[in-house]
Amino acid sequence: MKLAFSFLRIMALCACSPVAPANAQGLEPVEVGGEAELDACASLGQVVRLDPKGDNFLAVRAGPGSKHGERDRLGAGTLVTICDERGAWLGVVYPAPGAKADCGVSSPQPERTPYRGPCRSGWVHGRFVDVVAG
């Protein structure tokens, strides 16, 4: 009887306690567009300055900051389309590794909206991306 009471008590506590979502920092989508006469994303960047003796990849994060979860990893020389900026962090769009997809950001989009595909998106630190066009 004591075991059953303890179990019920624990269940009651769990039911009332808020549970943090799996990604406690949340996803902050990269936004595109906002200009009726300009491309949805205006600049092309290239991943640079990675340490070949270190991780040798650039972490793509779910939001602008290292506290956000890692979503992907990009290698040196990878091209990304720069669509958003928050401080030192860049919101980028890029095809999956090995894919040559049109990410749909080179045409005007009058309204500023979260990017929804078909390519991948996320946030990278601007220190590791050089603008090569736009």
PDB file of all heavy atoms in Angstrom, residues 39-48 77-84 90-95 101 103 105-106 128-134:
ATOM      1  N   ASP A  39      16.034  40.309 -54.192  1.00  0.00           N
ATOM      2  CA  ASP A  39      15.997  38.884 -53.882  1.00  0.00           C
ATOM      3  C   ASP A  39      15.622  38.673 -52.411  1.00  0.00           C
ATOM      4  O   ASP A  39      15.943  39.504 -51.555  1.00  0.00           O
ATOM      5  CB  ASP A  39      17.362  38.238 -54.129  1.00  0.00           C
ATOM      6  CG  ASP A  39      17.723  38.183 -55.611  1.00  0.00           C
ATOM      7  OD1 ASP A  39      16.843  38.441 -56.442  1.00  0.00           O
ATOM      8  OD2 ASP A  39      18.889  37.872 -55.910  1.00  0.00           O
ATOM      9  N   ALA A  40      14.987  37.553 -52.120  1.00  0.00           N
ATOM     10  CA  ALA A  40      14.588  37.226 -50.746  1.00  0.00           C
ATOM     11  C   ALA A  40      15.804  37.190 -49.824  1.00  0.00           C
ATOM     12  O   ALA A  40      15.718  37.547 -48.657  1.00  0.00           O
ATOM     13  CB  ALA A  40      13.852  35.889 -50.711  1.00  0.00           C
ATOM     14  N   CYS A  41      16.957  36.758 -50.355  1.00  0.00           N
ATOM     15  CA  CYS A  41      18.230  36.768 -49.631  1.00  0.00           C
ATOM     16  C   CYS A  41      19.272  37.346 -50.572  1.00  0.00           C
ATOM     17  O   CYS A  41      19.440  36.862 -51.687  1.00  0.00           O
ATOM     18  CB  CYS A  41      18.633  35.358 -49.198  1.00  0.00           C
ATOM     19  SG  CYS A  41      17.442  34.579 -48.104  1.00  0.00           S
ATOM     20  N   ALA A  42      19.976  38.365 -50.120  1.00  0.00           N
ATOM     21  CA  ALA A  42      20.793  39.148 -51.040  1.00  0.00           C
ATOM     22  C   ALA A  42      22.255  38.738 -51.162  1.00  0.00           C
ATOM     23  O   ALA A  42      22.907  39.129 -52.120  1.00  0.00           O
ATOM     24  CB  ALA A  42      20.723  40.616 -50.637  1.00  0.00           C
ATOM     25  N   SER A  43      22.808  37.979 -50.212  1.00  0.00           N
ATOM     26  CA  SER A  43      24.244  37.718 -50.235  1.00  0.00           C
ATOM     27  C   SER A  43      24.567  36.235 -50.259  1.00  0.00           C
ATOM     28  O   SER A  43      23.875  35.418 -49.661  1.00  0.00           O
ATOM     29  CB  SER A  43      24.922  38.341 -49.015  1.00  0.00           C
ATOM     30  OG  SER A  43      24.756  39.733 -49.019  1.00  0.00           O
ATOM     31  N   LEU A  44      25.685  35.920 -50.919  1.00  0.00           N
ATOM     32  CA  LEU A  44      26.227  34.573 -50.933  1.00  0.00           C
ATOM     33  C   LEU A  44      27.495  34.584 -50.089  1.00  0.00           C
ATOM     34  O   LEU A  44      28.330  35.480 -50.233  1.00  0.00           O
ATOM     35  CB  LEU A  44      26.548  34.144 -52.371  1.00  0.00           C
ATOM     36  CG  LEU A  44      27.072  32.731 -52.552  1.00  0.00           C
ATOM     37  CD1 LEU A  44      25.998  31.707 -52.203  1.00  0.00           C
ATOM     38  CD2 LEU A  44      27.545  32.529 -53.989  1.00  0.00           C
ATOM     39  N   GLY A  45      27.619  33.607 -49.205  1.00  0.00           N
ATOM     40  CA  GLY A  45      28.791  33.525 -48.348  1.00  0.00           C
ATOM     41  C   GLY A  45      29.489  32.191 -48.486  1.00  0.00           C
ATOM     42  O   GLY A  45      28.910  31.223 -49.012  1.00  0.00           O
ATOM     43  N   GLN A  46      30.741  32.160 -48.017  1.00  0.00           N
ATOM     44  CA  GLN A  46      31.522  30.929 -48.046  1.00  0.00           C
ATOM     45  C   GLN A  46      32.122  30.692 -46.674  1.00  0.00           C
ATOM     46  O   GLN A  46      32.640  31.613 -46.033  1.00  0.00           O
ATOM     47  CB  GLN A  46      32.635  31.038 -49.087  1.00  0.00           C
ATOM     48  CG  GLN A  46      33.420  29.764 -49.260  1.00  0.00           C
ATOM     49  CD  GLN A  46      34.383  29.852 -50.435  1.00  0.00           C
ATOM     50  OE1 GLN A  46      34.927  30.914 -50.739  1.00  0.00           O
ATOM     51  NE2 GLN A  46      34.589  28.736 -51.103  1.00  0.00           N
ATOM     52  N   VAL A  47      32.057  29.427 -46.214  1.00  0.00           N
ATOM     53  CA  VAL A  47      32.606  29.054 -44.907  1.00  0.00           C
ATOM     54  C   VAL A  47      34.132  29.107 -44.981  1.00  0.00           C
ATOM     55  O   VAL A  47      34.740  28.505 -45.875  1.00  0.00           O
ATOM     56  CB  VAL A  47      32.112  27.652 -44.488  1.00  0.00           C
ATOM     57  CG1 VAL A  47      32.761  27.227 -43.185  1.00  0.00           C
ATOM     58  CG2 VAL A  47      30.590  27.639 -44.362  1.00  0.00           C
ATOM     59  N   VAL A  48      34.737  29.848 -44.047  1.00  0.00           N
ATOM     60  CA  VAL A  48      36.193  30.061 -44.026  1.00  0.00           C
ATOM     61  C   VAL A  48      36.715  30.014 -42.579  1.00  0.00           C
ATOM     62  O   VAL A  48      35.933  29.957 -41.642  1.00  0.00           O
ATOM     63  CB  VAL A  48      36.567  31.430 -44.650  1.00  0.00           C
ATOM     64  CG1 VAL A  48      36.213  31.485 -46.119  1.00  0.00           C
ATOM     65  CG2 VAL A  48      35.878  32.565 -43.902  1.00  0.00           C
ATOM     66  N   GLY A  77      34.743  25.971 -47.235  1.00  0.00           N
ATOM     67  CA  GLY A  77      34.410  26.177 -48.637  1.00  0.00           C
ATOM     68  C   GLY A  77      32.939  26.048 -48.967  1.00  0.00           C
ATOM     69  O   GLY A  77      32.528  26.379 -50.081  1.00  0.00           O
ATOM     70  N   THR A  78      32.135  25.579 -48.032  1.00  0.00           N
ATOM     71  CA  THR A  78      30.689  25.437 -48.276  1.00  0.00           C
ATOM     72  C   THR A  78      30.079  26.805 -48.572  1.00  0.00           C
ATOM     73  O   THR A  78      30.355  27.782 -47.872  1.00  0.00           O
ATOM     74  CB  THR A  78      29.988  24.804 -47.062  1.00  0.00           C
ATOM     75  OG1 THR A  78      30.575  23.536 -46.789  1.00  0.00           O
ATOM     76  CG2 THR A  78      28.495  24.647 -47.292  1.00  0.00           C
ATOM     77  N   LEU A  79      29.246  26.865 -49.597  1.00  0.00           N
ATOM     78  CA  LEU A  79      28.537  28.094 -49.935  1.00  0.00           C
ATOM     79  C   LEU A  79      27.184  28.125 -49.233  1.00  0.00           C
ATOM     80  O   LEU A  79      26.477  27.115 -49.189  1.00  0.00           O
ATOM     81  CB  LEU A  79      28.341  28.202 -51.450  1.00  0.00           C
ATOM     82  CG  LEU A  79      29.624  28.346 -52.264  1.00  0.00           C
ATOM     83  CD1 LEU A  79      29.302  28.315 -53.760  1.00  0.00           C
ATOM     84  CD2 LEU A  79      30.358  29.628 -51.905  1.00  0.00           C
ATOM     85  N   VAL A  80      26.849  29.286 -48.679  1.00  0.00           N
ATOM     86  CA  VAL A  80      25.570  29.494 -47.996  1.00  0.00           C
ATOM     87  C   VAL A  80      24.974  30.804 -48.486  1.00  0.00           C
ATOM     88  O   VAL A  80      25.698  31.720 -48.876  1.00  0.00           O
ATOM     89  CB  VAL A  80      25.749  29.531 -46.454  1.00  0.00           C
ATOM     90  CG1 VAL A  80      26.249  28.199 -45.930  1.00  0.00           C
ATOM     91  CG2 VAL A  80      26.679  30.656 -46.019  1.00  0.00           C
ATOM     92  N   THR A  81      23.669  30.885 -48.473  1.00  0.00           N
ATOM     93  CA  THR A  81      22.996  32.144 -48.782  1.00  0.00           C
ATOM     94  C   THR A  81      22.678  32.825 -47.465  1.00  0.00           C
ATOM     95  O   THR A  81      22.080  32.227 -46.570  1.00  0.00           O
ATOM     96  CB  THR A  81      21.705  31.894 -49.584  1.00  0.00           C
ATOM     97  OG1 THR A  81      22.039  31.124 -50.747  1.00  0.00           O
ATOM     98  CG2 THR A  81      21.076  33.195 -50.016  1.00  0.00           C
ATOM     99  N   ILE A  82      23.107  34.074 -47.339  1.00  0.00           N
ATOM    100  CA  ILE A  82      22.908  34.842 -46.100  1.00  0.00           C
ATOM    101  C   ILE A  82      21.584  35.585 -46.214  1.00  0.00           C
ATOM    102  O   ILE A  82      21.390  36.410 -47.116  1.00  0.00           O
ATOM    103  CB  ILE A  82      24.075  35.815 -45.866  1.00  0.00           C
ATOM    104  CG1 ILE A  82      25.392  35.044 -45.814  1.00  0.00           C
ATOM    105  CG2 ILE A  82      23.845  36.623 -44.589  1.00  0.00           C
ATOM    106  CD1 ILE A  82      26.627  35.921 -45.897  1.00  0.00           C
ATOM    107  N   CYS A  83      20.673  35.280 -45.284  1.00  0.00           N
ATOM    108  CA  CYS A  83      19.316  35.826 -45.368  1.00  0.00           C
ATOM    109  C   CYS A  83      18.915  36.689 -44.169  1.00  0.00           C
ATOM    110  O   CYS A  83      17.967  37.464 -44.259  1.00  0.00           O
ATOM    111  CB  CYS A  83      18.311  34.674 -45.474  1.00  0.00           C
ATOM    112  SG  CYS A  83      18.591  33.589 -46.870  1.00  0.00           S
ATOM    113  N   ASP A  84      19.594  36.525 -43.063  1.00  0.00           N
ATOM    114  CA  ASP A  84      19.175  37.167 -41.816  1.00  0.00           C
ATOM    115  C   ASP A  84      20.427  37.460 -40.997  1.00  0.00           C
ATOM    116  O   ASP A  84      21.479  36.851 -41.211  1.00  0.00           O
ATOM    117  CB  ASP A  84      18.241  36.209 -41.055  1.00  0.00           C
ATOM    118  CG  ASP A  84      17.262  36.912 -40.128  1.00  0.00           C
ATOM    119  OD1 ASP A  84      17.454  38.102 -39.831  1.00  0.00           O
ATOM    120  OD2 ASP A  84      16.309  36.248 -39.684  1.00  0.00           O
ATOM    121  N   LEU A  90      24.640  34.959 -38.324  1.00  0.00           N
ATOM    122  CA  LEU A  90      24.015  35.047 -39.639  1.00  0.00           C
ATOM    123  C   LEU A  90      22.996  33.930 -39.813  1.00  0.00           C
ATOM    124  O   LEU A  90      23.288  32.762 -39.518  1.00  0.00           O
ATOM    125  CB  LEU A  90      25.070  34.916 -40.737  1.00  0.00           C
ATOM    126  CG  LEU A  90      26.210  35.936 -40.726  1.00  0.00           C
ATOM    127  CD1 LEU A  90      27.235  35.589 -41.800  1.00  0.00           C
ATOM    128  CD2 LEU A  90      25.673  37.339 -40.909  1.00  0.00           C
ATOM    129  N   GLY A  91      21.825  34.275 -40.309  1.00  0.00           N
ATOM    130  CA  GLY A  91      20.825  33.285 -40.685  1.00  0.00           C
ATOM    131  C   GLY A  91      21.106  32.862 -42.113  1.00  0.00           C
ATOM    132  O   GLY A  91      21.123  33.698 -43.017  1.00  0.00           O
ATOM    133  N   VAL A  92      21.379  31.574 -42.308  1.00  0.00           N
ATOM    134  CA  VAL A  92      21.784  31.085 -43.627  1.00  0.00           C
ATOM    135  C   VAL A  92      20.862  29.991 -44.141  1.00  0.00           C
ATOM    136  O   VAL A  92      20.208  29.297 -43.365  1.00  0.00           O
ATOM    137  CB  VAL A  92      23.247  30.571 -43.613  1.00  0.00           C
ATOM    138  CG1 VAL A  92      24.210  31.704 -43.269  1.00  0.00           C
ATOM    139  CG2 VAL A  92      23.427  29.396 -42.663  1.00  0.00           C
ATOM    140  N   VAL A  93      20.854  29.858 -45.455  1.00  0.00           N
ATOM    141  CA  VAL A  93      20.106  28.815 -46.156  1.00  0.00           C
ATOM    142  C   VAL A  93      21.115  28.104 -47.040  1.00  0.00           C
ATOM    143  O   VAL A  93      21.963  28.751 -47.670  1.00  0.00           O
ATOM    144  CB  VAL A  93      18.972  29.438 -46.999  1.00  0.00           C
ATOM    145  CG1 VAL A  93      18.341  28.417 -47.919  1.00  0.00           C
ATOM    146  CG2 VAL A  93      17.915  30.069 -46.089  1.00  0.00           C
ATOM    147  N   TYR A  94      21.030  26.765 -47.100  1.00  0.00           N
ATOM    148  CA  TYR A  94      22.007  25.985 -47.871  1.00  0.00           C
ATOM    149  C   TYR A  94      21.401  24.633 -48.228  1.00  0.00           C
ATOM    150  O   TYR A  94      20.579  24.096 -47.489  1.00  0.00           O
ATOM    151  CB  TYR A  94      23.297  25.796 -47.063  1.00  0.00           C
ATOM    152  CG  TYR A  94      23.047  25.171 -45.708  1.00  0.00           C
ATOM    153  CD1 TYR A  94      23.190  23.802 -45.523  1.00  0.00           C
ATOM    154  CD2 TYR A  94      22.618  25.936 -44.635  1.00  0.00           C
ATOM    155  CE1 TYR A  94      22.917  23.224 -44.294  1.00  0.00           C
ATOM    156  CE2 TYR A  94      22.344  25.365 -43.410  1.00  0.00           C
ATOM    157  CZ  TYR A  94      22.503  24.008 -43.241  1.00  0.00           C
ATOM    158  OH  TYR A  94      22.217  23.437 -42.025  1.00  0.00           O
ATOM    159  N   PRO A  95      21.818  24.076 -49.370  1.00  0.00           N
ATOM    160  CA  PRO A  95      21.316  22.744 -49.735  1.00  0.00           C
ATOM    161  C   PRO A  95      21.956  21.663 -48.879  1.00  0.00           C
ATOM    162  O   PRO A  95      23.025  21.871 -48.297  1.00  0.00           O
ATOM    163  CB  PRO A  95      21.712  22.590 -51.199  1.00  0.00           C
ATOM    164  CG  PRO A  95      22.753  23.615 -51.462  1.00  0.00           C
ATOM    165  CD  PRO A  95      22.647  24.668 -50.402  1.00  0.00           C
ATOM    166  N   ALA A 101      20.380  21.803 -55.025  1.00  0.00           N
ATOM    167  CA  ALA A 101      19.011  22.317 -55.040  1.00  0.00           C
ATOM    168  C   ALA A 101      18.961  23.832 -55.189  1.00  0.00           C
ATOM    169  O   ALA A 101      19.845  24.550 -54.725  1.00  0.00           O
ATOM    170  CB  ALA A 101      18.304  21.917 -53.748  1.00  0.00           C
ATOM    171  N   CYS A 103      17.369  26.780 -53.702  1.00  0.00           N
ATOM    172  CA  CYS A 103      16.750  26.993 -52.388  1.00  0.00           C
ATOM    173  C   CYS A 103      15.591  27.976 -52.412  1.00  0.00           C
ATOM    174  O   CYS A 103      14.935  28.197 -51.400  1.00  0.00           O
ATOM    175  CB  CYS A 103      17.809  27.437 -51.388  1.00  0.00           C
ATOM    176  SG  CYS A 103      19.041  26.155 -51.051  1.00  0.00           S
ATOM    177  N   VAL A 105      15.502  31.328 -52.920  1.00  0.00           N
ATOM    178  CA  VAL A 105      15.677  32.618 -52.257  1.00  0.00           C
ATOM    179  C   VAL A 105      16.278  33.678 -53.181  1.00  0.00           C
ATOM    180  O   VAL A 105      16.664  34.743 -52.721  1.00  0.00           O
ATOM    181  CB  VAL A 105      16.528  32.472 -50.971  1.00  0.00           C
ATOM    182  CG1 VAL A 105      15.785  31.665 -49.923  1.00  0.00           C
ATOM    183  CG2 VAL A 105      17.885  31.864 -51.274  1.00  0.00           C
ATOM    184  N   SER A 106      16.337  33.388 -54.480  1.00  0.00           N
ATOM    185  CA  SER A 106      16.940  34.342 -55.410  1.00  0.00           C
ATOM    186  C   SER A 106      15.901  35.144 -56.192  1.00  0.00           C
ATOM    187  O   SER A 106      16.225  35.775 -57.194  1.00  0.00           O
ATOM    188  CB  SER A 106      17.888  33.617 -56.366  1.00  0.00           C
ATOM    189  OG  SER A 106      17.197  32.625 -57.082  1.00  0.00           O
ATOM    190  N   PHE A 128      33.045  33.133 -39.329  1.00  0.00           N
ATOM    191  CA  PHE A 128      33.466  32.013 -40.174  1.00  0.00           C
ATOM    192  C   PHE A 128      32.839  32.032 -41.556  1.00  0.00           C
ATOM    193  O   PHE A 128      32.863  31.031 -42.260  1.00  0.00           O
ATOM    194  CB  PHE A 128      33.165  30.695 -39.460  1.00  0.00           C
ATOM    195  CG  PHE A 128      33.875  30.584 -38.138  1.00  0.00           C
ATOM    196  CD1 PHE A 128      33.191  30.831 -36.956  1.00  0.00           C
ATOM    197  CD2 PHE A 128      35.221  30.266 -38.079  1.00  0.00           C
ATOM    198  CE1 PHE A 128      33.842  30.738 -35.733  1.00  0.00           C
ATOM    199  CE2 PHE A 128      35.877  30.181 -36.866  1.00  0.00           C
ATOM    200  CZ  PHE A 128      35.200  30.414 -35.689  1.00  0.00           C
ATOM    201  N   VAL A 129      32.268  33.170 -41.951  1.00  0.00           N
ATOM    202  CA  VAL A 129      31.644  33.288 -43.282  1.00  0.00           C
ATOM    203  C   VAL A 129      32.115  34.582 -43.926  1.00  0.00           C
ATOM    204  O   VAL A 129      31.998  35.663 -43.345  1.00  0.00           O
ATOM    205  CB  VAL A 129      30.099  33.284 -43.176  1.00  0.00           C
ATOM    206  CG1 VAL A 129      29.471  33.478 -44.551  1.00  0.00           C
ATOM    207  CG2 VAL A 129      29.600  31.998 -42.537  1.00  0.00           C
ATOM    208  N   ASP A 130      32.668  34.456 -45.121  1.00  0.00           N
ATOM    209  CA  ASP A 130      33.022  35.634 -45.916  1.00  0.00           C
ATOM    210  C   ASP A 130      31.976  35.822 -47.009  1.00  0.00           C
ATOM    211  O   ASP A 130      31.584  34.847 -47.661  1.00  0.00           O
ATOM    212  CB  ASP A 130      34.387  35.447 -46.594  1.00  0.00           C
ATOM    213  CG  ASP A 130      35.552  35.735 -45.656  1.00  0.00           C
ATOM    214  OD1 ASP A 130      35.340  36.250 -44.543  1.00  0.00           O
ATOM    215  OD2 ASP A 130      36.701  35.419 -46.047  1.00  0.00           O
ATOM    216  N   VAL A 131      31.535  37.060 -47.209  1.00  0.00           N
ATOM    217  CA  VAL A 131      30.612  37.363 -48.307  1.00  0.00           C
ATOM    218  C   VAL A 131      31.412  37.294 -49.602  1.00  0.00           C
ATOM    219  O   VAL A 131      32.458  37.949 -49.742  1.00  0.00           O
ATOM    220  CB  VAL A 131      29.965  38.747 -48.119  1.00  0.00           C
ATOM    221  CG1 VAL A 131      29.119  39.106 -49.336  1.00  0.00           C
ATOM    222  CG2 VAL A 131      29.122  38.772 -46.854  1.00  0.00           C
ATOM    223  N   VAL A 132      30.915  36.518 -50.562  1.00  0.00           N
ATOM    224  CA  VAL A 132      31.596  36.386 -51.853  1.00  0.00           C
ATOM    225  C   VAL A 132      30.783  36.999 -52.996  1.00  0.00           C
ATOM    226  O   VAL A 132      31.310  37.202 -54.076  1.00  0.00           O
ATOM    227  CB  VAL A 132      31.956  34.902 -52.158  1.00  0.00           C
ATOM    228  CG1 VAL A 132      32.969  34.381 -51.170  1.00  0.00           C
ATOM    229  CG2 VAL A 132      30.724  34.013 -52.180  1.00  0.00           C
ATOM    230  N   ALA A 133      29.521  37.289 -52.754  1.00  0.00           N
ATOM    231  CA  ALA A 133      28.677  37.965 -53.758  1.00  0.00           C
ATOM    232  C   ALA A 133      27.484  38.605 -53.046  1.00  0.00           C
ATOM    233  O   ALA A 133      26.976  38.078 -52.074  1.00  0.00           O
ATOM    234  CB  ALA A 133      28.182  36.971 -54.805  1.00  0.00           C
ATOM    235  N   GLY A 134      27.065  39.750 -53.587  1.00  0.00           N
ATOM    236  CA  GLY A 134      25.877  40.406 -53.054  1.00  0.00           C
ATOM    237  C   GLY A 134      26.137  41.432 -52.005  1.00  0.00           C
ATOM    238  O   GLY A 134      27.084  41.640 -51.402  1.00  0.00           O
TER     239      GLY A 134
END
